Structures are given as structure tokens and as C-alpha cells.
Amino acid sequence: METQISLSPSADTLNVALSGELDSLSAPKLYDQLSQALKDQPNIKKIVFECQNLSYISSAGAGILLLSLDNFGHRGIDFELRKVRPEVYNILDLLGLTKVMSVSNA
């Protein structure tokens, strides 16, 4: 399934809609888009990932989320994953991401 990434800044929040699979092919694209958006919008204080249409996340996808948190978190940016499907939540929990960022179930 093809991954779709849609970014929309709003005030001090960057909303990121994810659909499909976040894997080793799509994860670098997500990171590149986040980097560019944060360069273009230096006032962003929170990134909200809308995950209701994200059907799968690989360890590479989870790794990109952690890399983003590590690289952008020092700027005071909070990360939140919303409406995460149970099968994706289980992977995030197993990898420890639920302990370092806000993750809410669908």
C-alpha cells in the first residue's frame, strides 16, 4: 500500500496526516518533509501525527519518529500521535515510543 504524507501548518502546530505504511521506503521521505516544514515554519512548537489511516509501521518508521524527536525535540517541539490503530500501537509500545511521546489509540 502506498504511503501518503500530508503536512499542514496551523499557528504553532504542524499537522501530519499519515496513511498506508510507514516503512523503510517512506520513512526518509517523512523525515525530509518534516525537516523542510520546520525550516519554513520556525514557530512550530508541536507536531501532531494523525494516524487513523496508518495501517503499518516498521522499525524503520518508528526509528524515524525517534530520530525526529531527538533532532527536533531540543527546539522545544512536542510530538503527539493521535488515533493510532491497535496494530500500530502495539508496535510503538513494543519499541518503547509510547514512553517518550504522547500516543493515543483510535
Side-chain angles (χ1 to χ4, degrees), residues 74-93:
H74 73 277
R75 291 178 40 186
I77 298 174
D78 293 323
F79 284 67
E80 181 179 354
L81 281 73
R82 291 184 184 164
K83 301 176 187 170
V84 177
R85 292 180 176 186
E87 59 272 21
V88 173
Y89 183 91
N90 289 340
I91 294 168
L92 295 173
D93 190 43

Side-chain angles (χ1 to χ4, degrees), residues 53-101:
N53 295 318
L54 185 65
S55 59
Y56 171 78
I57 187 167
S58 71
S59 59
I64 284 295
L65 293 176
L66 282 173
L67 178 66
S68 299
L69 180 64
D70 187 47
N71 288 344
F72 307 132
H74 73 277
R75 291 178 40 186
I77 298 174
D78 293 323
F79 284 67
E80 181 179 354
L81 281 73
R82 291 184 184 164
K83 301 176 187 170
V84 177
R85 292 180 176 186
E87 59 272 21
V88 173
Y89 183 91
N90 289 340
I91 294 168
L92 295 173
D93 190 43
L94 180 67
L95 296 173
L97 268 76
T98 58
K99 292 177 176 66
V100 296
M101 61 180 67

Side-chain angles (χ1 to χ4, degrees), residues 16-50:
V16 182
L18 299 173
S19 64
E21 300 177 351
L22 187 58
D23 56 19
S24 61
L25 295 176
S26 58
K29 294 175 191 173
L30 173 61
Y31 186 81
D32 290 344
Q33 289 184 23
L34 288 175
S35 296
Q36 187 60 50
L38 293 172
K39 229 181 260 185
D40 295 343
Q41 302 284 329
N43 61 321
I44 296 295
K45 296 294 178 201
K46 185 174 193 173
I47 301 175
V48 176
F49 296 89
E50 295 292 345

